[in-house]
Amino acid sequence: FLFITTGEENLLAILKRRWWKYMILGIIDIEANYLVVKAYQYTTLTSVQLLDCFVIPVVILLSWFFLLVRYKAVHFIGIVVCILGMGCMAGADVLVGRQQGAGENKLIGDLLVLGGATLYGISNVCEEYIVRNLSRVEFLGMIGLFGSFFSGIQLAIMEHKELLKVPWDWQIGLLYVGFSACMFGLYSFMPVVIKKTSATAVNLSLLTADLYSLFCGLFLFHYKFSGLYLLSFFTILVGLMLYSSTSTYVAQDPRVYKQFRNPSGPVVDLPATGQLEPSVTYTSLGQETEEEPHVRVA
């Protein structure tokens, strides 16, 4: 937990200005994770993989309307290729019999995935705005503060009975520690990648995660392997290269956004005359154009 102690953007100032915004964002983020994980109890692995791709159009639409990001034809081609690769991976799951898990409430599971994917999209777009315009440290600190608080309340209310049924031993404890470490790494590095690329590029890259889980499953659960997995993996990589081959751009100067920071002082209007130069948002890894705001932490 990072406690910002000095400067205008100290912890108390951040909470005073934006506490309710981070509270809503924290709830959205934990519910996105909860709904997708809960869906595995009702629907198949294949359905989760396919429907979870719904996060991509959500991120694209939100980026278009709220971040004013504009895409070119090559971006949409790359996105379609990535989704085709994901469909190929789901087809391989069906062929090798990994689509287990269907029950009587499959529709409920599918709706949970769609709801979780929608919330993921909202969370990722908000994260992109914050790390680009405010601070990566601020985002991680606030999302950790409010996320821990509300996830603890939800755990106590909704999952306390299931938690008591867990046969605790060192192996289960080690699995929980490993999962927590992976989530810590994900949340720590994702803001860095989002700032260098975009929320859309990150979600396209995450489509390859199912293949990595397959490799682990080959050793742990003795999954059957199909050549379609490799085909899908390389298809997704081709789509990513197409998407990253050119940059997106912002439709107008970012200063005209409705600001998340909600400054207390007056907002200076830009001159109405003249054509505003589009601001470029790079979608491939490269050197950052702006340094992270300097803050002192203790």
Side-chain angles (χ1 to χ4, degrees):
F1 178 74
L2 298 174
F3 194 95
I4 303 176
T5 58
T6 61
E8 296 180 358
E9 294 301 308
N10 59 71
L11 178 63
L12 294 179
I14 293 172
L15 289 175
K16 182 178 179 180
R17 295 179 183 179
R18 300 185 281 271
W19 67 270
W20 64 272
K21 299 177 182 179
Y22 282 117
M23 180 185 70
I24 295 174
L25 182 57
I27 293 174
I28 289 174
D29 190 75
I30 63 174
E31 293 306 322
N33 287 282
Y34 180 81
L35 291 178
V36 173
V37 172
K38 194 72 173 179
Y40 281 96
Q41 296 182 3
Y42 301 101
T43 191
T44 63
L45 174 65
T46 303
S47 294
V48 173
Q49 290 177 346
L50 286 175
L51 295 176
D52 197 39
C53 294
F54 186 67
V55 67
I56 295 173
V58 172
V59 169
I60 292 174
L61 289 175
L62 293 178
S63 297
W64 183 283
F65 288 107
F66 294 101
L67 300 184
L68 306 180
V69 176
R70 295 298 179 261
Y71 302 93
K72 301 175 183 177
V74 67
H75 294 125
F76 292 109
I77 294 174
I79 291 169
V80 171
V81 172
C82 286
I83 294 177
L84 288 176
M86 190 66 244
C88 183
M89 187 175 295
D93 285 340
V94 174
L95 292 178
V96 300
R98 286 185 66 210
Q99 71 276 16
Q100 70 275 7
E104 296 179 356
N105 298 317
K106 187 174 183 298
L107 178 60
I108 295 177
D110 293 344
L111 293 176
L112 289 176
V113 178
L114 290 175
T118 302
L119 295 179
Y120 266 131
I122 297 173
S123 175
N124 290 162
V125 171
C126 291
E127 180 177 352
E128 180 177 350
Y129 181 87
I130 294 169
V131 299
R132 288 187 184 277
N133 296 278
L134 298 175
S135 167
R136 185 167 63 241
V137 175
E138 177 179 324
F139 170 79
L140 291 174
M142 293 296 101
I143 203 71
L145 174 65
F146 288 101
S148 300
F149 177 75
F150 287 106
S151 62
I153 293 177
Q154 181 167 322
L155 176 66
I157 295 175
M158 303 183 63
E159 304 292 339
H160 64 280
K161 293 183 180 179
E162 286 73 12
L163 192 63
L164 294 174
K165 296 177 182 178
V166 176
W168 292 101
D169 56 28
W170 69 271
Q171 292 178 327
I172 292 179
L174 190 62
L175 291 174
Y176 273 100
V177 171
F179 178 78
S180 300
C182 291
M183 295 300 292
F184 176 81
L186 175 67
Y187 274 83
S188 297
F189 291 115
M190 184 175 284
V192 179
V193 181
I194 285 181
K195 187 172 183 178
K196 287 179 175 289
T197 59
S198 66
T200 305
V202 167
N203 280 281
L204 291 174
S205 302
L206 288 175
L207 294 179
T208 60
D210 292 315
L211 186 72
Y212 301 136
S213 66
L214 168 69
F215 288 151
C216 294
L218 291 175
F219 298 99
L220 296 176
F221 306 111
H222 306 291
Y223 287 155
K224 295 180 181 179
F225 183 78
S226 171
L228 286 177
Y229 287 118
L230 292 179
L231 176 62
S232 64
F233 179 73
F234 287 112
T235 302
I236 294 174
L237 289 183
V238 170
L240 284 172
M241 288 188 290
L242 286 173
Y243 183 88
S244 301
S245 62
T246 185
S247 60
T248 60
Y249 66 94
V250 177
Q252 54 185 330
D253 193 297
R255 286 175 294 175
V256 304
Y257 291 177
K258 183 178 181 181
Q259 296 184 25
F260 185 92
R261 62 177 74 242
N262 192 21
S264 56
V267 178
V268 179
D269 294 330
L270 295 175
T273 60
Q275 184 71 22
L276 291 174
E277 284 293 328
S279 174
V280 175
T281 302
Y282 291 100
T283 57
S284 58
L285 289 176
Q287 186 175 0
E288 297 182 50
T289 57
E290 296 181 1
E291 294 183 356
E292 186 73 16
H294 295 288
V295 293
R296 292 181 57 187
V297 296

